[in-house]
Structure formats: C-alpha cells, structure tokens
C-alpha cells in the first residue's frame, strides 16, 4: 500500500478557489440537507470536502468497499427470548 | 501540613488521607487555592465546583472520624473535561450552544465511580469545541494554555484536562480521546495518559463526538497515578451499548512486573516520515531505554488514518446536523466548517472507511503476532504556539489542526490501548510517545510505560 503521509494529501489551493464541481456539490447537498452555508464559509468548507475526497480515494484504492464487511461498532447484549403470549 | 508539604500525587494523597496525616478538606482547599491563584493565566477550568469539593471532602473526613471504610481514591482532587455530565452543571462539550442546556441532574457514570472511590471533584475543564480539535483553543472560552510555556498550545481536545494536571492544580484529570485527544495533550504538556481499549470504560453521561471512535481515560503526572485511577474507573455497565462485558482487570499490581518476556517493536515507515528531529530523537531515546530493537513497518497506516478522518467527519457531523441547520453561526468557526463539510459527504465514503476498519484490524492482529508492544510518536512535533495555523511537516507547510493527529488516529481507529509517555530533555519542550498493545492489554502498555518512566525519559532537569 502507498504509505505517503496525509500531510502531503492536503490540497493547498482549494481553500482559495474551490473547484466548480466541489462548489456545485456543496450547494446541491446543502440544499437537500437544509443547511445554510454562508458565502464566507464556503471556501473553507470546500477545502475540507477536498481533503475528504482525497482520503476517500485512498480508501477506495484498497478495495475495502467489496473486500470486507464493516467493522463492528457495538457489542450486542444477550438475546432475550420473547415471552409467550 | 503546609501547602508545600502536602502530598502531590494521587496515591500519596489517598494514603495520607487514609492514615489521617492530612484531612481531605485540607487537600481540597489547597487544590481550590491553586486554581484560584493561577487558573486565570492557564484557562484550564470552565467551572470550579468548590462547594461540591468541600462537601465531598468533608464527607470523607466524617466517614474516617466514624471509623468508616474509605474508598481507594479518598481525598484525591480531580477534574473532568467539560463533556462529562456533572450534576448541577450544563455539559458544555466546549460549545456555546450546549452551555444553554439545562444543568444535569446526575453525574456521568465514571464521575460517579470516582466519587464512589472517594475522589473529590474540583470542576469541569476547558476543551476544543465538541472535541473536534488538537489545539486546546476555543473561540468561546479562550484557549487552555500550556503550563510549561503559556504562549503555547496544550493540545486538544482534552486541553484543559492536561493543563489542570501540568499546572499542579490537581494530580489527575479525566479526558476523552477519539483520534488522539488524550495522547496529544499529554505529549504537549509532558504528562502520562491512558486511552484504554475501545469499549473498556463506559461512556454513559458524556457528550459524544464520534461514537464508534470515542474513548475515555485519565491523565496524570506519573504512570502510577494513571494506573491507580484507571483501576477505579473499570467495570462493565450495560448503559453504554459498546462497553464490553469483561471483568475488571486491575493494572496497578501489573506495572511493576517490568519488561521480562515482552517483545517491543518500534514503529517505522509512516511514523517517521513527517516527524521532526525532536520527535525522532524522543522515539530513539524511548526505544533505547527499553531495549526495543525490532522495527515494525505497519502496512496500511496512511489508509487507516484516512479512514479515521472520514468516519470522524461523517459520524461527528451527523450528530450535529440539527445544530448545523439551526445554529451554525454559533459554532466555533474552527469546527463549524469541518462539520458542515462532513455533513455533506457521500455515504459510500464513510461506509468504505468502516469496511477498511476490518481490514486494518486484521493487519494489526498480524503485527501483534510479532511483537507485544509498539512504540510510536504521539505527535510529529512539540507544542506549537497558540494561534499558529500551519506547520511544516516533511518540508511542506500544511494546516496544523488537520495534522497533529497523524500518528494517533490510525491507532485509535481500531481501538487499541495506548499509554502516553512524555520524553523530555532539560530546558526543552517535551515530546510524547505512544506505547501501544493489542486489545485488552492495557497491562502491557502500562508495564512498558512504567519502565520508561523508571528509566527517566521524562526527566526535565
């Protein structure tokens, strides 16, 4: 696997000039979710979306989407049988 | 006793209270005096629970006078990150928004365990908003300042928890760690800490950040105090659905067992690429101190860090979605934009990240077939200056906040227990080392950490 550290994955210029597709992505998803993103926040939000995009590409390259089941995130308690009616 | 001769450590304090050499009230008043004298400069506390501290201390003294049995932590003053519920206080979780919530009527579960053990709560501690932080800065309550150099960061998000202990206000504090929020502040402030295995300590009554990664744990000035407090916190409780139904596994008696039979590896590869010279020297010193010669290059660490980032971003943002809709302008700007971005992420990104978690868990299982314990840096550098926004790592200037957890995130990603150990040079800022073991082997982390402490790696001159 590629061991390049995340620091080098941080998009440098994205904060100043969000890519058009990123801006469109933010606008569309924010509208669907009912989020209001002030114009002065958008460049920073776009930078974080771009960081996540780079990281998601790294995970996609591992084949995890099809090669594994999601990790358990809870410990179930013992099953309790239904009481007879 | 005078303020100068009062016991300083948690264990010494409890012993002195048990023996009657000092009253719990005297200890509590001294702690409250220290906080009153210096916390305006440090910014560790957001709430000081003076009345409660005196009442709890008096109850201990009264019980002792009547011949009652005292708890193991009798009279030990402590404080908690302000995401722990404390009866009578709103649980701020570092935010302005939650500060408007009604005061809690009960304590978080492990605060009640501390009380049952006889510890005395002195207050709630500053933190990065909603725990999405590695700096200890906070737009609403001001920064917690590093007691070793008040111009510098404590690290976060348990910044107040580290500051309160490093300043000598209390011998121990409780923090939380989702991606490094105990380990990074411990490193920056020269403290010991423990992030137990995921699922070890019940989180009931604490405000979450990212449920599938959230852990609780203690910080202290010695590994013995970390173990002493950790043992009082353990125990299954079904009120936290991820708390594992395991017996209490005390570590206090284990840490003196030393290094016999332990295979200790040193992380290389990813863990050295962007570490500065001081961090690499600290790692080498620690490795020498415990005779760790085997280098371990863990496959997939960068991917583990990326996956932890995505899960945190998506899961944490989902938690705050309604607040982001209604009160986005009331967030700390340093967390708001990351939460907004996280709320927008495609589901496939976070689901794949969760699936990778299983793969990395298998990877680590293989690593722990080769070694019992791994040493790794806790952070790529020492405490940055307050207000600093970028840092040079690997020759590139990168955002500071996004990169202080590069070495801690891959480890908590699969819930491994980690002890944090400070490594110091006289006159220099400390660095931090992670001592990492397989799940449920906190005892091994603490044995190696105690050996490092005994070797004097934390000596500041």
């Amino acid at each position: 696997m590629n061991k390049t550290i995340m620091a080098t994955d941080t998009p440098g210029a994205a904060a100043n000039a969000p890519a058009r597709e990123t801006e469109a992505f933010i606008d569309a998803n924010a509208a669907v979710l009912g989020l209001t993103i002030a114009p002065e926040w958008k460049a920073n939000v776009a930078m974080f979306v771009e960081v996540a995009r780079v990281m998601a590409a790294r995970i996609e390259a591992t084949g995890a989407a099809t090669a594994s089941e999601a990790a358990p995130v809870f410990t179930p308690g013992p099953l309790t049988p239904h009481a007879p009616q | 006793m005078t303020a100068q001769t009062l016991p300083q450590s948690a264990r010494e304090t409890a012993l002195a209270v048990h023996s009657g050499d000092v009253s719990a009230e005297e200890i509590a008043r001294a702690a409250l005096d220290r906080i009153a004298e210096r916390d305006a400069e440090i910014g560790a506390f957001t709430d000081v629970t003076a009345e409660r501290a005196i009442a709890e201390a008096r109850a201990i003294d009264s019980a002792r006078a009547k011949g009652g049995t005292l708890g193991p932590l009798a009279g030990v003053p402590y404080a908690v990150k302000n995401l722990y519920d404390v009866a009578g206080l709103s649980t701020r979780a570092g935010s302005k928004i939650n500060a408007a919530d009604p005061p809690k009527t009960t304590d978080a579960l492990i605060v009640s365990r501390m009380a049952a053990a006889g510890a005395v709560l002195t207050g709630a501690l500053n933190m990065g908003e909603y725990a999405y932080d590695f700096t200890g800065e906070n737009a609403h309550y001001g920064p917690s300042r590093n007691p070793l150099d008040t111009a510098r960061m404590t690290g976060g998000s348990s910044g107040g928890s580290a500051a309160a202990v490093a300043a000598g206000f209390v011998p121990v504090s409780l923090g939380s760690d989702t991606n490094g929020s105990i380990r990074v502040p411990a490193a920056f402030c020269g403290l010991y800490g423990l992030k137990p295995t995921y699922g070890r300590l019940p989180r009931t009554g604490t405000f979450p950040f990212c449920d599938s990664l959230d852990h609780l744990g203690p910080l202290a000035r010695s590994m013995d105090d970390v173990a002493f407090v950790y043992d009082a916190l353990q125990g299954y409780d079904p009120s936290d659905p991820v708390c594992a139904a395991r017996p209490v596994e005390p570590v206090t008696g284990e840490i003196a067992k030393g290094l016999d039979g332990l295979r200790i590896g040193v992380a290389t590869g990813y863990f050295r690429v962007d570490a500065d010279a001081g961090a690499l020297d600290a790692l080498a010193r620690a490795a020498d101190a415990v005779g760790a010669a085997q280098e371990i290059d863990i496959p997939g660490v960068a991917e583990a860090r990326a996956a932890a980032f995505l899960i945190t971003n998506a899961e944490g943002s989902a938690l705050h979605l309604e607040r982001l809709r209604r009160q986005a302008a009331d967030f700390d700007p340093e967390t708001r934009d990351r939460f907004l971005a996280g709320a927008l992420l495609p589901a496939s990104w976070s689901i794949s990240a969760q699936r990778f978690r299983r793969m990395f868990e298998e990877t680590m299982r293989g690593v722990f077939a080769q070694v019992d314990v791994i040493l790794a840096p806790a952070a790529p550098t020492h405490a940055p200056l307050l207000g600093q926004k970028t840092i040079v790592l690997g020759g590139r200037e990168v955002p500071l906040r996004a990169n202080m957890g590069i070495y801690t995130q891959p480890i908590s990603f699969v819930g491994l227990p980690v002890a944090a150990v400070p490594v110091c040079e006289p006159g220099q800022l400390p660095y931090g080392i992670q001592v990492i073991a397989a799940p449920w082997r906190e005892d091994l982390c603490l044995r190696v950490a105690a050996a490092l402490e005994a070797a004097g790696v934390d000596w500041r001159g």
Side-chain angles (χ1 to χ4, degrees):
Chain A
M1 291 180 184
N2 184 347
K3 286 197 181 55
T4 306
I5 204 164
M6 285 302 116
T8 57
D9 288 344
T10 306
N16 297 325
R20 190 180 302 167
E21 64 188 21
T22 303
E23 195 163 3
F25 171 88
I26 291 170
D27 290 342
N29 282 289
V32 169
L33 286 164
L35 291 168
T36 303
I37 298 178
E40 63 271 27
W41 304 345
K42 198 174 283 183
N44 217 23
V45 173
M47 181 191 73
F48 287 117
V49 169
E50 287 296 335
V51 170
R53 184 183 190 177
V54 171
M55 296 202 180
R58 184 179 282 275
I59 301 304
E60 189 173 344
T62 68
T66 54
S68 175
E69 292 191 10
V73 294
F74 67 97
T75 303
L79 292 173
T80 305
H82 289 292
Q85 298 297 313
Chain B
M1 289 186 181
T2 66
Q4 287 73 35
T5 59
L6 288 172
Q8 299 298 307
S9 77
R11 186 182 295 280
E12 290 167 350
T13 299
L15 285 172
V17 169
H18 274 264
S19 66
D21 290 345
V22 65
S23 71
E25 183 171 349
E26 192 178 351
I27 294 285
R29 289 193 182 281
L32 294 170
D33 286 349
R34 292 191 295 270
I35 295 163
E37 283 166 15
R38 201 181 167 208
D39 195 47
E41 176 194 6
I42 300 297
F45 283 79
T46 51
D47 305 89
V48 177
T49 54
E51 282 186 24
R52 172 172 172 161
I54 297 301
E56 287 183 332
R58 285 178 174 166
I60 292 161
D61 292 334
S62 174
R64 186 178 184 282
K66 293 174 184 168
T69 302
L70 303 186
L73 302 180
V76 173
Y78 76 106
V80 298
K81 187 173 184 175
N82 70 23
L83 57 66
Y84 285 73
D85 287 353
V86 172
L89 300 180
S90 300
T91 304
R92 300 172 194 260
S95 71
K96 169 183 169 184
I97 296 169
N98 288 35
D101 290 348
K104 297 296 178 183
T105 55
T106 57
D107 290 335
L109 179 56
I110 71 169
V111 173
S112 67
R113 287 182 178 174
M114 289 291 281
V120 172
L121 183 70
T122 59
L125 298 163
N126 204 355
M127 59 176 282
E129 188 181 62
Y130 292 128
Y132 210 169
D133 171 56
F134 281 120
T135 68
E137 296 181 332
N138 185 300
H140 312 300
Y141 305 108
S144 50
R145 294 176 177 275
N146 193 321
L148 303 177
D149 177 348
T150 55
R152 293 186 179 273
M153 295 175 179
T154 53
S157 62
S158 305
S161 301
V165 176
F169 297 154
V170 286
V172 291
S173 65
L174 301 183
S176 68
D177 188 317
T178 301
N179 285 301
S181 286
I182 288 174
R183 293 162 285 165
V184 172
F188 288 177
C189 294
L191 299 174
Y192 292 85
L194 177 65
K195 184 206 77 62
T197 308
Y198 181 75
R200 172 73 83 174
L201 299 181
R203 305 162 303 176
T204 313
T206 59
F207 194 83
F209 170 19
C210 174
D211 279 325
S212 77
L213 292 165
D214 288 342
H215 309 66
L216 307 179
L219 297 99
R221 294 190 292 271
S222 71
M223 193 41 70
D224 182 58
D225 272 358
V226 166
F228 188 45
V229 170
Y230 168 64
D231 280 350
L233 300 176
Q234 288 190 55
Y236 169 67
D237 194 285
S239 60
D240 178 348
V242 305
C243 185
R246 294 180 68 88
V248 172
E249 295 172 289
V251 295
T252 299
E254 298 293 311
I255 64 173
K257 287 186 174 174
L259 303 174
D260 281 355
L262 294 185
R263 302 167 298 168
I264 306 172
V266 186
T268 186
Y270 173 96
F271 288 95
R272 301 194 192 183
V273 173
D274 283 340
D276 71 18
L280 293 174
D281 286 348
L283 183 62
R285 274 190 66 200
D288 286 348
V290 294
Q294 185 176 352
E295 295 202 327
I296 299 290
D297 190 359
I298 303 170
V301 187
E303 288 75 11
R305 193 267 172 155
F309 182 101
L310 290 169
I311 292 168
T312 304
N313 200 204
E315 198 176 317
S317 299
L319 174 73
H320 291 293
L321 187 58
E322 192 57 27
R323 293 180 193 85
L324 291 166
R325 285 186 180 124
R326 295 177 183 275
Q327 293 177 267
D330 290 333
F331 278 66
D332 184 329
E334 294 287 357
T335 70
R336 179 196 59 220
D337 299 343
R338 280 184 292 166
F339 278 129
L340 283 168
L344 307 175
L345 300 188
S348 59
W349 293 3
S350 59
I351 291 170
S352 291
Q354 283 287 11
R355 290 179 182 273
F356 183 74
R357 213 167 177 182
R358 173 83 77 192
M359 296 169 74
F360 194 65
E361 182 187 25
E362 289 297 325
T363 296
M364 292 309 299
R365 208 185 301 278
V367 169
F368 285 114
Q370 303 170 53
V371 293
D372 301 305
V373 171
I374 303 164
L375 305 181
T381 188
H382 57 53
L385 291 167
L386 284 165
Q388 191 174 328
K389 299 296 183 191
T390 62
I391 190 164
V392 176
L393 294 180
R396 284 188 76 219
E397 187 173 13
V398 295
L400 183 143
R401 280 176 175 263
N403 286 290
M404 284 300 98
I406 55 175
Y407 298 143
T408 50
Q409 277 185 282
I411 307 304
S412 34
F413 176 56
V414 286
L416 304 174
V418 189
V421 175
V423 177
C424 311
E425 293 285 352
Q428 304 292 316
L429 290 165
Y431 284 84
I433 295 295
Q434 298 184 86
V435 182
I436 307 158
W440 315 114
R441 296 312 306 266
E442 287 86 351
D443 59 325
L444 302 186
C445 298
L446 297 189
R447 278 173 62 186
V448 174
L452 288 167
E453 184 179 26
V457 299
D458 65 349
W459 188 71
R460 292 202 197 99

